[in-house]
Amino acid sequence: MLRVYLCLLPLAALATFYLLVADRFTAASVRDLGHARFGLPFAWVEQDLSRYEPTSFPVTMSFQWQRAWYDPIVTSYDAVAGIADVLLVCAVLTAGGYLALPVLRALRRPGSSSSRVEA
């Protein structure tokens, strides 16, 4: 089981990165925009998005990529929360795999209705 968990770590890292990019932040004021936190299940990236001036609040913002080297978006990372995200996502993937294996084996078992060829 540990071997499977370790093999799934790269996939979990990709999934964690996807969850970061897909995450949204809702701000109720300009002050909230200064502390936009992204990452699922634990927020591990914080950005200062106060440079954007929405016309109304609340506003939902997505993760912002760095736009220019000369005027970067202030971004800070919490490595511990990021690693915890990867480990937790990997645990979910591993558990899901072990729960799916008996179902897949049952479907491939000789004599099951899905493995018979109809003539």
Side-chain angles (χ1 to χ4, degrees):
M1 183 161 160
L2 180 61
R3 184 177 294 161
V4 172
Y5 181 83
L6 293 174
C7 288
L8 288 175
L9 275 174
L11 181 62
L14 284 173
T16 301
F17 181 73
Y18 173 77
L19 291 173
L20 167 71
V21 174
D23 195 12
R24 303 287 182 257
F25 175 79
T26 302
S29 67
V30 176
R31 174 183 273 178
D32 289 346
L33 284 176
H35 302 285
R37 296 183 53 81
F38 299 97
L40 293 171
F42 304 115
W44 58 280
V45 176
E46 184 174 320
Q47 291 186 318
D48 181 1
L49 302 179
S50 59
R51 69 172 64 195
Y52 301 105
E53 297 178 7
T55 56
S56 65
F57 286 97
V59 63
T60 301
M61 308 250 335
S62 60
F63 177 77
Q64 300 294 311
W65 298 98
Q66 297 296 332
R67 300 199 185 259
W69 290 105
Y70 60 87
D71 188 21
I73 296 171
V74 178
T75 304
S76 60
Y77 304 92
D78 183 358
V80 173
I83 292 169
D85 275 0
V86 171
L87 296 176
L88 185 61
V89 168
C90 191
V92 169
L93 289 174
T94 304
Y98 275 106
L99 291 174
L101 276 176
V103 173
L104 294 174
R105 285 184 182 144
L107 291 174
R108 293 188 62 201
R109 189 174 312 140
S112 68
S113 62
S114 63
S115 64
R116 282 188 248 161
V117 177
E118 300 288 330

